[in-house]
Amino acid sequence: MIKSLRGTKDILPDDISTWQYIEAAGRDIFNIYGYKEIRTPIIEEAGLFIRSIGDATDIVQKEMYVFSDSVGRNIALRPEATASIVRAYIENSLFQAGGVTKLFYIGPMFRSERPQQGRQRQFYQTGLEAIGSDNPFIDVEVIALAAKFLERLGIKKFHIKLNSLGCQKDKIRVIEKHKESFKPHFEKLCETCKARFDKNVLRIFDCKEDSCKVVAENVKAESALCSECAEHFEKVKAGLDAISIQYTVDNKIVRGLDYYTKTVFEITQESLGAKDAICAGGRYNNLVKEMGGKDTPAIGFAFGMERLILALIGVAGHKSQVLGLDVFVAVTGEALYNEAFKLLNSLRMAGISSEIDYDAKSLKAQMRKAEKLGARFVVILGEEEFKSNKVVLKDMEKHNQEEIQLDKLIAELSSRPGLVLGSTTKGGK
Ligand code: HAM
């Protein structure tokens, strides 16, 4: 039997309400802050990610799924969405609307990493990008929004770590400072990190080798911001303080993708352990220009949805809720099947979720099935009652039943509270 690929997972109907709950909460809060949904393709030219994420990064060097299509183009399964959104922003002239373009997304990403709890090869992100302003208040908005999203989901005990990498010139200085700090420990680094030392020293912070992790933890990391970037960072911090968003500054937050400038941040959450971020993001003020657009500053973040679910279950005690059923139509004899099917059709046309047993078993078996499906009501079509145009309406919650005129059934059902219809986005705790 062919099985699913390692690092990929089926999301089964029993778990889907949790996903829908997160997606609906995200859509709600992103809309409140003025972000509009965008859906970009899952496949892109590999060059888009190589240029934006950086060719010395783990994502590009080791994790990206790249294949050659029938005409020899290098195609990648997207490892993240920021580069695609910047491409879409330029290609569709979204800048023409003026001001800040605010976009959010939900969808699968692909990275060939070693699978473990909260780390998959196909994983889902929900994130957003605000393109068009360098105003520090946008940084505050984006970081605050990430925190408010977690709060809305009932996820507590999260920790925002903040840093500024500064502008392009500062970044060069930051890189030099880090080189000085790593130099005395060079021999303790793995072979890949020895190469990273020259190529892109910041990537040593991403290394998963124990020896490199120890070195990275112990080197000192000083800030090296120019006065303009330092002032920008101060304003971001003051803005967060003003709306009581708690954070700590950590100079070792350098992020695993090359496009970042100025503000960067990561959010960790207790149930996932300190290492793995539930959300990460930052400014990428040069990316739009580097991708062929105008000089346009931007900032964004992405949440890992599998990690949101782990936190939701671990901290907020969320339970997946299987959506019930309004009505199960039970039939006592083969002869009434046609009538039952007509009734089923009218119920569905009236927006009442309904089901029937196509295997036509005994009434007892049909009642068991109704219970299994979580039916709120069972409508029984019995031969005797049907002769006088009546059906039996059984309330499965209150455990009572009554005869009802067939032509009054839909009106009667619609007047009863507790029908599941329309509750798909409520989720459950
Ligand atoms: P990232 O740090 O690569 O940033 O990923 C963001 C989040 O996606 C991580 O914090 C984590 O929660 C989740 N994630 C990453 N890899 C995996 C995986 N293999 N399995 C499960 N979850 C994972 C970005 O992707 C940037 N595009 C974020 C951004 C948006 N920056 C600016 N705008």
Side-chain angles (χ1 to χ4, degrees), residues 185-203:
H185 309 283
F186 186 81
E187 286 310 321
K188 289 182 223 147
L189 298 175
C190 71
E191 288 312 307
T192 317
C193 282
K194 281 181 179 155
R196 283 170 169 155
F197 183 84
D198 283 322
K199 238 180 156 182
N200 192 339
V201 71
L202 296 184
R203 300 285 69 92

Side-chain angles (χ1 to χ4, degrees), residues 33-207:
Y33 281 73
Y35 290 77
K36 303 275 177 269
E37 184 167 355
I38 183 167
R39 299 185 192 188
T40 61
I42 281 166
I43 50 171
E44 298 269 5
E45 261 186 47
L48 175 71
F49 303 110
I50 299 169
R51 273 171 60 193
S52 56
I53 297 170
D55 58 6
T57 57
D58 273 1
I59 297 180
V60 167
Q61 289 227 316
K62 301 189 209 156
E63 296 166 4
M64 203 155 68
Y65 285 98
V66 184
F67 61 94
S68 190
D69 73 358
S70 55
V71 289
R73 275 177 306 203
N74 249 1
I75 308 288
L77 296 184
R78 63 178 184 194
E80 60 113 45
T82 308
S84 305
I85 289 174
V86 167
R87 180 204 45 71
Y89 172 83
I90 301 167
E91 192 172 332
N92 299 287
S93 307
L94 298 184
F95 46 83
Q96 269 173 0
V100 181
T101 305
K102 294 177 162 190
L103 304 163
F104 79 84
Y105 55 91
I106 302 173
M109 311 292 156
F110 305 83
R111 297 183 194 175
S112 177
E113 295 191 78
R114 191 142 51 91
Q116 60 183 58
Q117 167 103 315
R119 183 178 300 150
Q120 288 180 200
R121 292 182 172 165
Q122 174 172 341
F123 61 100
Y124 289 77
Q125 280 186 344
T126 180
L128 53 82
E129 315 293 345
I131 310 176
S133 170
D134 187 45
N135 191 319
F137 280 108
I138 295 277
D139 305 43
V140 177
E141 172 179 297
V142 165
I143 297 166
L145 175 44
K148 294 295 161 200
F149 181 39
L150 285 171
E151 281 170 18
R152 179 172 272 234
L153 291 172
I155 299 174
K156 300 188 185 90
K157 298 183 179 164
F158 58 86
H159 186 175
I160 303 174
K161 288 191 260 175
L162 193 64
N163 190 20
S164 175
L165 297 174
C167 54
Q168 209 66 346
K169 280 189 192 147
D170 295 349
K171 249 180 117 174
I172 294 167
R173 254 197 322 272
V174 169
I175 287 168
E176 279 315 311
K177 284 209 172 208
H178 282 304
K179 269 191 165 174
E180 278 167 35
S181 328
F182 277 112
K183 207 169 183 177
H185 309 283
F186 186 81
E187 286 310 321
K188 289 182 223 147
L189 298 175
C190 71
E191 288 312 307
T192 317
C193 282
K194 281 181 179 155
R196 283 170 169 155
F197 183 84
D198 283 322
K199 238 180 156 182
N200 192 339
V201 71
L202 296 184
R203 300 285 69 92
I204 298 176
F205 286 106
D206 310 329
C207 187

Side-chain angles (χ1 to χ4, degrees), residues 235-281:
K235 284 185 180 159
V236 174
K237 288 189 281 180
L240 289 170
D241 293 339
I243 53 168
S244 306
I245 303 286
Q246 303 209 333
Y247 59 88
T248 49
V249 174
D250 181 346
N251 289 336
K252 287 184 185 164
I253 299 293
V254 294
R255 307 287 297 115
L257 304 89
D258 280 353
Y259 51 61
Y260 289 108
T261 54
K262 286 191 173 171
T263 313
V264 284
F265 65 98
E266 286 182 3
I267 307 181
T268 51
Q269 204 281 328
E270 213 170 64
S271 60
L272 301 168
K275 186 71 196 85
D276 280 331
I278 194 167
C279 170

Side-chain angles (χ1 to χ4, degrees), residues 315-328:
V315 180
H318 180 93
K319 288 209 172 44
S320 191
Q321 195 190 50
V322 180
L323 205 61
L325 178 73
D326 290 330
V327 174
F328 184 89

